[in-house]
Amino acid sequence: MNSMFIALCLIVAAVALDPPAPTAIMCNQGNATNSAACPAPADGGVAATLCSMPKFVEYTGLSAGVDYACGACAEGTKDATCMECTGATNVSCNVPQAAGKSFMCYNFAYDAATKVFAQAVNATTCQRLEATDAICNSPEKAAAAEYLSPHAGCGPCVANTTCVECKGDGCNSATTITAFLLPLVALIYTLV
């Protein structure tokens, strides 16, 4: 009887079912319109637990060359051009961030002949997240010739620079600045 019991235990152990495979996580894939379960790993592989997506860089937009995908960011891209999130079995965590309305700002470059900063002819299109203010920057009059506008005129000034910032679409254009300064000069002139 004992040998029959041992034989029965050995048979059950030999044909026992494998433990159920873990449920695959959901990730947006490709261009973020395809939320699907991540594919099963190859034999001996580890199932994905992370989803990845392009990083949205304020005033520049989505990082190029990074897709929405199952798995971790490619080596060397995490937090630079790619973001990761912990996956779930019922919903994708790598959803696109809510972008706000794009706006325009002007870039400035130093003109060595006139020794002033000249406004670019064409405005730069600035990208932002929904909760981010539309901010432009431009060099102050005292800015050195080596000064470079952050993000081609889009966004706030870098700390400790000779830069001024303003809020609003195209607020750093020479026309806008002149329109503000002329009445100010007129007011000062009448007071003197």
Side-chain angles (χ1 to χ4, degrees):
M1 176 94 157
N2 281 341
S3 57
M4 194 165 156
F5 179 72
I6 292 172
L8 185 59
C9 286
L10 289 174
I11 292 171
V12 169
V15 294
L17 296 175
D18 289 332
T23 307
I25 63 168
M26 300 286 290
C27 292
N28 278 311
Q29 299 172 38
N31 60 6
T33 58
N34 179 21
S35 180
C38 293
D43 287 339
V46 178
T49 59
L50 298 173
C51 300
S52 57
M53 62 185 166
K55 180 178 181 179
F56 189 95
V57 179
E58 287 287 7
Y59 306 108
T60 304
L62 278 179
S63 298
V66 179
D67 286 331
Y68 291 81
C70 293
C73 294
E75 189 174 332
T77 63
K78 184 178 177 187
D79 298 329
T81 58
C82 181
M83 294 173 30
E84 296 176 350
C85 58
T86 302
T89 58
N90 58 343
V91 66
S92 297
C93 64
N94 61 341
V95 295
Q97 295 173 290
K101 183 180 177 215
S102 63
F103 62 101
M104 307 298 269
C105 291
Y106 289 89
N107 196 11
F108 289 81
Y110 188 75
D111 183 347
T114 61
K115 299 199 184 316
V116 295
F117 282 91
Q119 174 186 305
V121 175
N122 298 318
T124 303
T125 301
C126 310
Q127 307 296 330
R128 64 190 176 106
L129 291 174
E130 203 169 57
T132 303
D133 289 332
I135 299 174
C136 298
N137 66 71
S138 57
E140 288 182 344
K141 188 174 181 176
E146 299 80 29
Y147 175 84
L148 295 173
S149 293
H151 303 291
C154 301
C157 296
V158 175
N160 302 319
T161 60
T162 51
C163 174
V164 291
E165 57 187 60
C166 56
K167 287 186 178 183
D169 191 16
C171 65
N172 71 339
S173 73
T175 307
T176 304
I177 294 168
T178 303
F180 171 74
L181 290 178
L182 277 173
L184 185 63
V185 170
L187 176 67
I188 291 172
Y189 180 75
T190 58
L191 294 175
V192 176

